[in-house]
Amino acid sequence: GVTTYSPMKHWKVGPGQRVAVVGIGGLGHMAVQIARALGATVTAVTRTTEKQAEAEKLGAHDVLISTDSKAMEAHEMKFDFIIITIPDAFEVNDYVKLLKRDGVITTVGLLGPYKDPLNNMEMAMHRRSISGSIIGGIAETQEVLEFCAEYNILPEVEIIKIQDINEAFEKMKDEEVRFRYVIDMASLKEA
C-alpha cells in the first residue's frame, strides 16, 4: 500500500477532500481503501461498470465510468486529488479537467509518457498540478503497515503456485486478475 499511501500523505489527503482513484486494480484497490480511511470522499474511476460493485465494496462512495463522456463532463472540477494507477500510456487531459482549482493529479502506475501531450492551458487556467510517485521509503512502509492494521485494510490477493506463473501472466495481460497474484513459495519445492 505504500505506493498509493505515500503520495496521499505528501499531498495531505484527508477529511473534506474529494479524491478520485483511477484504475481499480492492484494499486487502485488499495488506494480506494486508504483514501477512505484518511477521511476523504472517494470516487473510483474505471472504464466499465463491471468493477462498480467491487469498488463500492472496497469503500468507494461513488463510481465514475471514464468511457461515459457525459459522466466525465458532469465531474469536471470536482476533485481535490486524483491518483492514477494505470500502468500503460493513457490520455491524461481527460482527468485534468476533473480537478478543482489547485487540484493535484499523481500518477503511480505509468513510468512512460502519456498518450498525448499535456494541455498546459487546462493546467494554468486553474492552477492545477501533476506529480508522480514511485514508492515510499522504509519508514513510510512501516507507517503504512501500521495504518493498514489500524483500519483493517487488506490487499485482495489470489495465491498461485510458481508452476502457474505463465498462465497468471497471460491473465494479468488480459486484465482477468482481481487484484493481485501472490506466489506460494512452498510451490518452489515442486518445480
Side-chain angles (χ1 to χ4, degrees):
V2 72
T3 303
T4 57
Y5 177 81
S6 180
M8 285 193 250
K9 179 184 171 194
H10 175 80
W11 292 105
K12 298 175 178 46
V13 168
Q17 289 188 312
R18 290 186 53 140
V19 171
V21 176
V22 181
I24 311 303
L27 292 173
H29 89 285
M30 291 299 291
V32 168
Q33 295 175 83
I34 290 169
R36 175 80 185 237
L38 288 169
T41 300
V42 183
T43 298
V45 183
T46 184
R47 291 177 296 182
T48 66
T49 57
E50 295 169 359
K51 296 180 186 174
Q52 184 165 351
E54 290 176 13
E56 290 170 349
K57 181 181 164 192
L58 292 166
H61 295 91
D62 188 26
V63 177
L64 172 59
I65 307 302
S66 63
T67 54
D68 181 342
S69 59
K70 288 184 181 181
M72 289 289 282
E73 190 174 304
H75 283 79
E76 286 183 6
M77 297 194 69
K78 298 279 186 198
F79 299 102
D80 301 287
F81 183 81
I82 300 173
I83 187 165
I84 301 180
T85 67
I86 301 170
D88 303 311
F90 62 92
E91 175 52 64
V92 70
N93 293 303
D94 294 342
Y95 302 105
V96 169
K97 294 176 184 178
L98 303 179
L99 285 175
K100 291 180 179 179
R101 180 176 183 82
D102 296 321
V104 176
I105 286 178
T106 296
T107 59
V108 296
L110 177 66
L111 297 178
Y114 298 117
K115 277 189 176 178
D116 290 320
L118 185 60
N119 180 337
N120 289 328
M121 181 61 79
E122 282 291 335
M123 300 298 293
M125 289 284 292
H126 301 287
R127 215 171 39 214
R128 296 164 167 153
S129 299
I130 290 194
S131 69
S133 184
I134 294 180
I135 195 166
I138 293 170
E140 209 165 35
T141 299
Q142 183 62 47
E143 185 178 322
V144 75
L145 288 171
E146 292 169 8
F147 179 85
C148 288
E150 179 182 347
Y151 289 94
N152 197 32
I153 296 172
L154 301 168
E156 298 284 332
V157 299
E158 180 180 339
I159 298 174
I160 63 167
K161 293 182 176 187
I162 191 68
Q163 294 81 0
D164 299 327
I165 193 72
N166 291 332
E167 180 184 341
F169 185 73
E170 290 303 316
K171 285 183 177 180
M172 186 183 73
K173 287 190 332 189
D174 294 337
E175 298 182 16
E176 294 175 15
V177 60
R178 303 291 332 133
F179 290 95
R180 290 180 177 264
Y181 284 126
V182 173
I183 299 169
D184 179 356
M185 297 308 283
S187 69
L188 289 173
K189 294 176 185 172
E190 302 170 19

